[in-house]
Amino acid sequence: MEQETHLTVELFNQAEHGVVLIDLHHHIKVWNRWMEVQTQLPLSEVLAKPVKRVVSVDILPTKILDAITEVFQYEQPISFSTDDVCSYFFEIKPITISGQQYCLLEVFSDNNVSDSENPEPVKTVQDHELAVTAHLLEKISGMNKFAIPGLSVWQQEKSSASFSGDIILSAPRPSGGVNILIGDFVGRGLPAVIGALPVAEVFYGMTEKGFGLSDIIEEINKKLLFILPEGLFCAACLIELEHQGKMLAVWNGGLPDLLVIDQQANIKYRVPSSHIPLGVHGAEKIELETVFIEVNAGDTIFCSTDGAVNAEDAQGNRYGAAQMERALLQGDKISAIQQSLLAHIAGIEQRDDISLVELDIELVQNYEGNSSSNLRESNLAPASWQVDFDFSAQVLRSVDLVPLLVNVLMHIQAPHEHRQRIYTVLAEMCSNALDHGVLGLNSAIKQSAHGFAEYYALRGQRLAELTEGFIKVSLSHKPANDKGILMIRVEDSGKGFDYKQHTKDLAEIKTLCGRGEALLQNLCANYQYSGKGNIIQAEYHWMT
């Protein structure tokens, strides 16, 4: 919370107009650099002082005091201007930061005094803004520890004078697959980068912990609503490719259509924007829903920011989505669009940044990423302990169990180098319990032409309508010489299945085990079903 408050204050400090933040006691909490330059009063002389002490300066009339009182009392904004030769316009409005109420006073100069009469101080502020922006961009860049094979990105900034408002983030998921975010902030420079910092922190942190796309979107939206001033937001497209590389989940909020191009250079799927951008208002559950698309080796995913579609030539003609798609269908994908765009704009400075993103599905399917966590881990020597969970239908509808369970384990006892394998084991056991046990889904659906998309759509529908059912998870641990033994037991409320016949068929090679069962065989010392087939127990061994 302190970091977010600091960033908010820093954003006020970089404003090209006056910003004064006043608390309920009418004491000054923020006096930005513009105010220091215009009033010749340094921050040290006014911070935590009553605002009435500074109304005697030339640009603040005494009626400011009454306006502040009314804003606090009625929680409604007030604006007015002065009629002096050097006139100023004042906006006073209520604002909440970190749960505390404040009054935000903004001062605007009609004749741009800060630029004409005091050029040197303004230049210093601009230089400082560039330094802060560069520092934050370096921090964001340092969060990305992995190069995703098959991911191609081309970007062109509208101007070299400030930093881009477009961001591209990518990271491997702990159970396999990748997450990608393409973002386009309104504005650029420091405000855009300040917004990009929490977006990157949430995206990388929650991807690393294994959270689903909807959870990540919801948290990013909350962060942006907290940190960005009104009028700034982020149009974004988020992509999740699951561990087998066959199912793509897409959420598009404000960017041009995401396209899936097949091996014959045909548009196989199109995902238009169906959500509002992030940071505009609180997200309802319906606004977090993603589109599921079945993809195959040979398919290519393409997405861009609207700077590409709106790119103009010397006569002001837009490049347009139709021309972009024609270039795509030539078969050269991102390189064809890049050359076509550069020829169209012919060196003309653009109004917006341009970003193109391409993902080769086959290359990602062959990728085995290893995530690297900075999470706090327990240094506890192998010990005996047990923890039990009983998740109701209400919890199952809204909580992703696996990241929760893995993070509990990491904080109690499990070496970091085993995190991804333990995550995979828990993901397989919990998804089987939820999908086949509680929701009653049949994996045979996936075998049809559009089976994966049908399966995940049905899964989402049944999960949203779930009113009964449970999953019980027991995690226990015991030391054994130089290793620890983690025992996992998962029970669901489903009908179960004839696991004895299933085991017999496997032994006689009448049934091929799926990817999930093969993973359990390879990663666990042993696993077995019990009850009516609705209970599975597994042992995972790790060396100290």
Side-chain angles (χ1 to χ4, degrees):
M1 187 66 73
E2 287 183 3
Q3 183 186 29
E4 292 171 349
T5 302
H6 172 73
L7 289 174
T8 303
V9 172
E10 187 63 34
L11 181 58
F12 290 156
N13 228 3
Q14 304 307 320
E16 296 179 357
H17 63 276
V19 179
V20 183
L21 193 66
I22 302 150
D23 66 15
L24 284 168
H25 303 291
H26 291 209
H27 289 174
I28 295 171
K29 309 304 287 186
V30 171
W31 182 265
N32 78 337
R33 290 190 180 89
W34 191 96
M35 292 298 294
E36 289 185 288
V37 170
Q38 298 303 316
T39 66
Q40 298 301 305
L41 288 175
L43 175 65
S44 58
E45 292 187 15
V46 300
L47 188 64
K49 300 294 193 303
V51 69
K52 65 181 180 182
R53 292 193 183 182
V54 300
V55 296
S56 59
V57 301
D58 292 340
I59 70 172
L60 292 180
T62 55
K63 65 186 298 185
I64 286 286
L65 298 177
D66 293 332
I68 292 170
T69 300
E70 290 183 22
V71 167
F72 275 128
Q73 183 176 355
Y74 301 110
E75 297 185 350
Q76 294 295 324
I78 294 176
S79 60
F80 62 90
S81 59
T82 59
D83 298 323
D84 303 331
V85 174
C86 182
S87 62
Y88 294 91
F89 179 77
F90 303 91
E91 284 189 354
I92 311 166
K93 56 189 174 183
I95 186 173
T96 301
I97 300 177
S98 300
Q100 301 295 317
Q101 288 185 314
Y102 296 93
C103 180
L104 180 65
L105 166 62
E106 295 182 274
V107 185
F108 301 89
S109 170
D110 284 347
N111 60 1
N112 198 19
V113 174
S114 61
D115 288 334
S116 60
E117 295 184 8
N118 298 281
E120 291 305 316
V122 172
K123 186 176 186 301
T124 301
V125 170
Q126 291 171 342
D127 290 343
H128 181 69
E129 176 178 335
L130 288 174
V132 171
T133 305
H135 173 74
L136 293 178
L137 281 172
E138 184 179 352
K139 293 292 185 183
I140 294 169
S141 177
M143 295 179 194
N144 188 5
K145 307 178 184 69
F146 306 97
I148 306 297
L151 177 63
S152 302
V153 176
W154 180 74
Q155 292 183 285
Q156 177 164 298
E157 296 182 4
K158 70 174 183 179
S159 168
S160 59
S162 60
F163 295 93
S164 173
D166 290 358
I167 58 169
I168 313 295
L169 309 175
S170 62
R173 295 173 51 77
S175 60
V178 298
N179 282 352
I180 299 170
L181 182 150
I182 303 102
D184 182 2
F185 280 89
V186 171
R188 58 199 327 271
L190 185 62
V193 176
I194 284 180
L197 182 60
V199 169
E201 287 177 332
V202 171
F203 175 83
Y204 287 121
M206 293 187 71
T207 295
E208 196 168 54
K209 293 177 183 178
F211 283 96
L213 212 56
S214 295
D215 294 318
I216 295 173
I217 294 164
E218 185 175 26
E219 188 61 25
I220 289 175
N221 193 59
K222 288 179 182 177
K223 292 286 187 181
L224 291 182
L225 284 173
F226 173 83
I227 201 167
L228 293 182
E230 187 176 350
L232 287 183
F233 54 84
C234 179
C237 184
L238 284 90
I239 302 168
E240 176 189 300
L241 185 65
E242 51 82 51
H243 57 271
Q244 298 181 62
K246 295 181 179 180
M247 180 54 56
L248 189 75
V250 181
W251 185 95
N252 190 349
L255 287 189
D257 295 357
L258 175 138
L259 303 175
V260 180
I261 313 296
D262 65 18
Q263 207 161 9
Q264 287 72 44
N266 298 313
I267 296 177
K268 183 177 176 180
Y269 294 104
R270 180 189 301 271
V271 184
S273 171
S274 57
H275 305 283
I276 63 171
L278 299 170
V280 176
H281 66 61
E284 299 294 334
K285 199 66 179 177
I286 190 70
E287 294 168 346
L288 301 174
E289 290 183 357
T290 54
V291 175
F292 291 102
I293 300 170
E294 191 170 348
V295 292
N296 303 301
D299 289 347
T300 302
I301 313 302
F302 178 81
C303 188
S304 73
T305 57
D306 57 8
V309 176
N310 296 326
E312 295 182 348
D313 62 13
Q315 289 73 44
N317 299 313
R318 293 171 65 249
Y319 183 70
Q323 187 170 346
M324 179 180 293
E325 290 178 17
R326 284 197 297 271
L328 265 178
L329 299 183
Q330 292 178 2
D332 294 332
K333 308 294 191 304
I334 196 171
S335 58
I337 297 181
Q338 177 184 342
Q339 295 305 316
S340 178
L341 265 170
L342 290 174
H344 178 79
I345 62 180
I348 302 298
E349 186 169 305
Q350 297 299 301
R351 299 180 182 180
D352 198 0
D353 305 302
I354 300 173
S355 295
L356 307 177
V357 178
E358 180 182 275
L359 184 67
D360 186 316
I361 293 298
E362 185 172 12
L363 291 177
V364 182
Q365 286 177 342
N366 298 324
Y367 171 57
E368 295 183 2
N370 293 307
S371 61
S372 174
S373 176
N374 293 320
L375 296 173
R376 181 180 67 83
E377 302 163 24
S378 171
N379 293 319
L380 180 68
S384 296
W385 53 265
Q386 179 170 329
V387 59
D388 300 307
F389 298 90
D390 189 343
F391 300 106
S392 66
Q394 183 181 5
V395 174
L396 296 176
R397 284 200 309 268
S398 57
V399 176
D400 193 346
L401 304 186
V402 181
L404 167 68
L405 297 171
V406 170
N407 288 307
V408 167
L409 277 170
M410 290 297 110
H411 281 76
I412 300 177
Q413 184 158 72
H416 166 67
E417 59 269 21
H418 290 263
R419 185 178 191 274
Q420 184 168 342
R421 280 170 280 181
I422 292 173
Y423 184 101
T424 301
V425 170
L426 279 168
E428 182 59 31
M429 295 174 72
C430 289
S431 65
N432 278 342
L434 179 61
D435 290 8
H436 308 310
V438 177
L439 301 179
L441 294 169
N442 190 336
S443 291
I445 298 174
K446 298 179 183 179
Q447 305 305 317
S448 65
H450 301 290
F452 272 88
E454 182 182 345
Y455 181 90
Y456 282 100
L458 184 59
R459 183 185 187 276
Q461 178 187 338
R462 291 189 181 179
L463 189 60
E465 297 171 353
L466 187 67
T467 58
E468 296 181 351
F470 65 80
I471 291 179
K472 297 179 180 180
V473 180
S474 176
L475 304 174
S476 58
H477 186 275
K478 64 182 181 181
N481 299 324
D482 59 346
K483 65 183 177 183
I485 299 176
L486 174 65
M487 289 159 285
I488 306 170
R489 182 183 188 274
V490 178
E491 177 183 354
D492 65 70
S493 57
K495 297 178 180 179
F497 71 105
D498 190 348
Y499 66 89
K500 293 181 180 178
Q501 183 62 46
H502 178 70
T503 303
K504 184 179 178 181
D505 289 344
L506 281 176
E508 296 176 0
I509 322 181
K510 291 182 180 178
T511 302
L512 293 175
C513 63
R515 177 184 184 276
E517 199 150 10
L519 281 172
L520 292 178
Q521 287 178 352
N522 292 332
L523 296 176
C524 298
N526 61 71
Y527 77 96
Q528 61 182 10
Y529 294 98
S530 60
K532 53 184 179 181
N534 65 328
I535 300 172
I536 183 171
Q537 295 171 281
E539 279 190 13
Y540 182 89
H541 295 185
W542 56 273
M543 306 296 291
T544 58

